[in-house]
Amino acid sequence: ILPSQRVELAGLAIAADGRTSVLVRATDGTYGVKPLADISTDGGITWNGFAATPPGTATGGGSIAIAADGSSIVWATQDTSSVWFSKDGGKTWTASTGIAAQSQVVSDGAKPGVFYGYDTKTGTLTMSTDGGATFTEIWDGAAGNSYGVTKVKLAPNDATPVYGSAFDEGLWRRSPTLDGSSSAFDFHQLFAPQFPAPDRTMFDLTRKNGNTRIYLTDGTANGGGIGGGPAADLWGGGERGPQAGGVSLL
């Protein structure tokens, strides 16, 4: 692999028996690397380039995701004015609607055809239930004077809860079971920002003892240099328990 090549494995489809069988990846082709994206149907042993790429893309890259059953692929290329979807394994591509170009896309590992897209420029989180054809805004992470959504993830042991973080907004979750969320728009704040603006919350999820474990950092600019106060803290917590997802300072 050339030093200038960036290969991003950004989407997975999980077979019914629980094994990962179909994967897609997008490549930054700025320096001539080909193919711009490819697919594996044997768990990553062999790869084949898509038969076609979205109209207008010369460098591909960006963010890519595949439905849980492999029925559709969503690709937000880095150099076109649209996000694209394909329902024939990459042979043809059609522009999605309701989602900003160059968004980050995530597939729902439990519900085939469900995708999420978040745009760090406008700060919005969108959702598609038709394989990536149309997206609808479900959360405005730029509420107030925030810079917008920074990350979206689904729980590793249960794809029902959707987690999202945003500048100056902390960490939020939509979960009918844990939070009583009654609609696609019903997000609840799990973690409030700890610093004055600009405050950035970054997080990740893992599985521990059958439950989802949350790790996050929350920080701001440190104007005092090495002798100044802490610019960030590390927090952690479980999805289940007395606080149902509360996090504690580590």
Side-chain angles (χ1 to χ4, degrees):
I1 298 177
L2 298 175
S4 58
Q5 180 179 357
R6 186 180 73 213
V7 177
E8 298 176 352
L9 177 59
L12 298 174
I14 309 301
D17 60 2
R19 295 178 299 171
T20 301
S21 58
V22 183
L23 304 89
V24 292
R25 63 185 182 187
T27 302
D28 183 347
T30 301
Y31 300 98
V33 176
K34 300 289 184 179
L36 297 180
D38 42 12
I39 185 169
S40 172
T41 57
D42 55 13
I45 298 174
T46 59
W47 294 84
N48 294 288
F50 290 147
T53 54
T57 186
T59 60
S63 178
I64 194 169
I66 187 169
D69 61 354
S71 60
S72 58
I73 302 166
V74 176
W75 188 3
T77 56
Q78 65 186 8
D79 61 348
T80 62
S81 58
S82 298
V83 173
W84 307 86
F85 73 96
S86 173
K87 294 189 175 183
D88 54 13
K91 295 177 182 178
T92 59
W93 296 90
T94 305
S96 305
T97 61
I99 182 173
Q102 284 87 56
S103 290
Q104 298 294 308
V105 292
V106 181
S107 63
D108 190 315
K111 302 181 185 70
V114 176
F115 292 87
Y116 298 90
Y118 61 99
D119 178 20
T120 57
K121 299 183 183 70
T122 64
T124 57
L125 172 62
T126 57
M127 178 182 179
S128 172
T129 58
D130 57 8
T134 58
F135 284 79
T136 302
E137 181 179 329
I138 59 172
W139 182 48
D140 181 7
N145 295 317
S146 169
Y147 292 104
V149 176
T150 58
K151 188 172 186 178
V152 172
K153 288 203 73 171
L154 280 70
N157 64 319
D158 180 2
T160 303
V162 180
Y163 294 79
S165 61
F167 281 103
D168 305 323
E169 298 290 333
L171 177 66
W172 293 68
R173 180 179 63 199
R174 186 193 71 189
S175 171
T177 303
L178 300 174
D179 306 313
S181 301
S182 58
S183 72
F185 313 95
D186 193 6
F187 281 78
H188 297 255
Q189 190 178 53
L190 286 184
F191 180 86
Q194 304 296 298
F195 297 91
D199 178 283
R200 180 173 184 177
T201 301
M202 298 180 290
F203 76 99
D204 212 339
L205 307 173
T206 188
R207 184 183 302 177
K208 183 177 181 180
N209 298 327
N211 297 320
T212 296
R213 181 80 176 172
I214 307 168
Y215 290 98
L216 66 82
T217 60
D218 186 72
T220 187
N222 186 356
I226 193 170
D233 293 320
L234 176 64
W235 299 70
E239 185 179 81
R240 303 285 181 178
Q243 294 182 331
V247 294
S248 303
L249 188 64
L250 296 178

PDB file of all heavy atoms in Angstrom, residues 168 193-200 218-221:
ATOM      1  N   ASP A 168     -20.794  21.368  22.447  1.00  0.00           N
ATOM      2  CA  ASP A 168     -21.557  22.145  23.435  1.00  0.00           C
ATOM      3  C   ASP A 168     -22.891  21.503  23.804  1.00  0.00           C
ATOM      4  O   ASP A 168     -23.733  22.143  24.442  1.00  0.00           O
ATOM      5  CB  ASP A 168     -21.817  23.575  22.925  1.00  0.00           C
ATOM      6  CG  ASP A 168     -20.542  24.300  22.546  1.00  0.00           C
ATOM      7  OD1 ASP A 168     -19.529  24.110  23.242  1.00  0.00           O
ATOM      8  OD2 ASP A 168     -20.561  25.040  21.548  1.00  0.00           O
ATOM      9  N   PRO A 193     -22.338  18.885  28.833  1.00  0.00           N
ATOM     10  CA  PRO A 193     -20.982  19.434  28.699  1.00  0.00           C
ATOM     11  C   PRO A 193     -20.478  19.987  30.034  1.00  0.00           C
ATOM     12  O   PRO A 193     -21.236  20.602  30.784  1.00  0.00           O
ATOM     13  CB  PRO A 193     -21.142  20.529  27.642  1.00  0.00           C
ATOM     14  CG  PRO A 193     -22.604  20.833  27.603  1.00  0.00           C
ATOM     15  CD  PRO A 193     -23.307  19.573  27.964  1.00  0.00           C
ATOM     16  N   GLN A 194     -19.194  19.770  30.298  1.00  0.00           N
ATOM     17  CA  GLN A 194     -18.615  20.150  31.585  1.00  0.00           C
ATOM     18  C   GLN A 194     -17.844  21.469  31.539  1.00  0.00           C
ATOM     19  O   GLN A 194     -17.416  21.976  32.576  1.00  0.00           O
ATOM     20  CB  GLN A 194     -17.671  19.034  32.060  1.00  0.00           C
ATOM     21  CG  GLN A 194     -18.324  17.669  32.156  1.00  0.00           C
ATOM     22  CD  GLN A 194     -19.423  17.622  33.190  1.00  0.00           C
ATOM     23  OE1 GLN A 194     -19.180  17.832  34.381  1.00  0.00           O
ATOM     24  NE2 GLN A 194     -20.656  17.342  32.751  1.00  0.00           N
ATOM     25  N   PHE A 195     -17.625  22.006  30.363  1.00  0.00           N
ATOM     26  CA  PHE A 195     -16.823  23.205  30.207  1.00  0.00           C
ATOM     27  C   PHE A 195     -17.622  24.278  29.472  1.00  0.00           C
ATOM     28  O   PHE A 195     -18.557  23.969  28.730  1.00  0.00           O
ATOM     29  CB  PHE A 195     -15.537  22.910  29.419  1.00  0.00           C
ATOM     30  CG  PHE A 195     -14.606  21.948  30.097  1.00  0.00           C
ATOM     31  CD1 PHE A 195     -14.702  20.579  29.860  1.00  0.00           C
ATOM     32  CD2 PHE A 195     -13.624  22.396  30.968  1.00  0.00           C
ATOM     33  CE1 PHE A 195     -13.841  19.687  30.476  1.00  0.00           C
ATOM     34  CE2 PHE A 195     -12.758  21.518  31.588  1.00  0.00           C
ATOM     35  CZ  PHE A 195     -12.861  20.158  31.347  1.00  0.00           C
ATOM     36  N   PRO A 196     -17.239  25.543  29.626  1.00  0.00           N
ATOM     37  CA  PRO A 196     -17.865  26.598  28.814  1.00  0.00           C
ATOM     38  C   PRO A 196     -17.516  26.375  27.340  1.00  0.00           C
ATOM     39  O   PRO A 196     -16.538  25.729  27.004  1.00  0.00           O
ATOM     40  CB  PRO A 196     -17.209  27.887  29.347  1.00  0.00           C
ATOM     41  CG  PRO A 196     -16.629  27.519  30.674  1.00  0.00           C
ATOM     42  CD  PRO A 196     -16.255  26.080  30.577  1.00  0.00           C
ATOM     43  N   ALA A 197     -18.335  26.943  26.468  1.00  0.00           N
ATOM     44  CA  ALA A 197     -18.073  26.817  25.031  1.00  0.00           C
ATOM     45  C   ALA A 197     -16.725  27.452  24.677  1.00  0.00           C
ATOM     46  O   ALA A 197     -16.342  28.472  25.266  1.00  0.00           O
ATOM     47  CB  ALA A 197     -19.192  27.490  24.246  1.00  0.00           C
ATOM     48  N   PRO A 198     -15.981  26.788  23.778  1.00  0.00           N
ATOM     49  CA  PRO A 198     -16.360  25.581  23.039  1.00  0.00           C
ATOM     50  C   PRO A 198     -16.054  24.316  23.823  1.00  0.00           C
ATOM     51  O   PRO A 198     -14.941  24.141  24.338  1.00  0.00           O
ATOM     52  CB  PRO A 198     -15.470  25.654  21.794  1.00  0.00           C
ATOM     53  CG  PRO A 198     -14.229  26.360  22.268  1.00  0.00           C
ATOM     54  CD  PRO A 198     -14.691  27.347  23.302  1.00  0.00           C
ATOM     55  N   ASP A 199     -17.038  23.444  23.940  1.00  0.00           N
ATOM     56  CA  ASP A 199     -16.895  22.166  24.628  1.00  0.00           C
ATOM     57  C   ASP A 199     -17.136  21.056  23.608  1.00  0.00           C
ATOM     58  O   ASP A 199     -18.082  21.117  22.834  1.00  0.00           O
ATOM     59  CB  ASP A 199     -17.904  22.056  25.769  1.00  0.00           C
ATOM     60  CG  ASP A 199     -17.839  20.723  26.489  1.00  0.00           C
ATOM     61  OD1 ASP A 199     -18.354  19.710  25.936  1.00  0.00           O
ATOM     62  OD2 ASP A 199     -17.315  20.681  27.606  1.00  0.00           O
ATOM     63  N   ARG A 200     -16.249  20.053  23.630  1.00  0.00           N
ATOM     64  CA  ARG A 200     -16.397  18.927  22.694  1.00  0.00           C
ATOM     65  C   ARG A 200     -16.436  17.622  23.457  1.00  0.00           C
ATOM     66  O   ARG A 200     -15.549  17.330  24.261  1.00  0.00           O
ATOM     67  CB  ARG A 200     -15.254  18.904  21.682  1.00  0.00           C
ATOM     68  CG  ARG A 200     -15.381  17.746  20.684  1.00  0.00           C
ATOM     69  CD  ARG A 200     -14.350  17.813  19.576  1.00  0.00           C
ATOM     70  NE  ARG A 200     -14.550  16.761  18.592  1.00  0.00           N
ATOM     71  CZ  ARG A 200     -13.837  16.615  17.479  1.00  0.00           C
ATOM     72  NH1 ARG A 200     -12.873  17.481  17.211  1.00  0.00           N
ATOM     73  NH2 ARG A 200     -14.083  15.637  16.629  1.00  0.00           N
ATOM     74  N   ASP A 218     -14.473  14.686  27.549  1.00  0.00           N
ATOM     75  CA  ASP A 218     -15.119  15.976  27.399  1.00  0.00           C
ATOM     76  C   ASP A 218     -14.076  17.050  27.685  1.00  0.00           C
ATOM     77  O   ASP A 218     -13.401  17.011  28.711  1.00  0.00           O
ATOM     78  CB  ASP A 218     -16.291  16.104  28.372  1.00  0.00           C
ATOM     79  CG  ASP A 218     -17.070  17.381  28.150  1.00  0.00           C
ATOM     80  OD1 ASP A 218     -17.775  17.459  27.144  1.00  0.00           O
ATOM     81  OD2 ASP A 218     -16.947  18.305  28.983  1.00  0.00           O
ATOM     82  N   GLY A 219     -13.913  17.980  26.749  1.00  0.00           N
ATOM     83  CA  GLY A 219     -12.838  18.952  26.922  1.00  0.00           C
ATOM     84  C   GLY A 219     -13.089  20.258  26.219  1.00  0.00           C
ATOM     85  O   GLY A 219     -14.079  20.452  25.522  1.00  0.00           O
ATOM     86  N   THR A 220     -12.141  21.169  26.424  1.00  0.00           N
ATOM     87  CA  THR A 220     -12.212  22.494  25.834  1.00  0.00           C
ATOM     88  C   THR A 220     -10.801  22.979  25.537  1.00  0.00           C
ATOM     89  O   THR A 220      -9.822  22.271  25.791  1.00  0.00           O
ATOM     90  CB  THR A 220     -12.930  23.471  26.774  1.00  0.00           C
ATOM     91  OG1 THR A 220     -13.134  24.718  26.106  1.00  0.00           O
ATOM     92  CG2 THR A 220     -12.118  23.717  28.041  1.00  0.00           C
ATOM     93  N   ALA A 221     -10.678  24.168  25.011  1.00  0.00           N
ATOM     94  CA  ALA A 221      -9.360  24.737  24.749  1.00  0.00           C
ATOM     95  C   ALA A 221      -8.667  25.049  26.072  1.00  0.00           C
ATOM     96  O   ALA A 221      -9.288  25.546  27.013  1.00  0.00           O
ATOM     97  CB  ALA A 221      -9.493  26.007  23.915  1.00  0.00           C
TER      98      ALA A 221
END
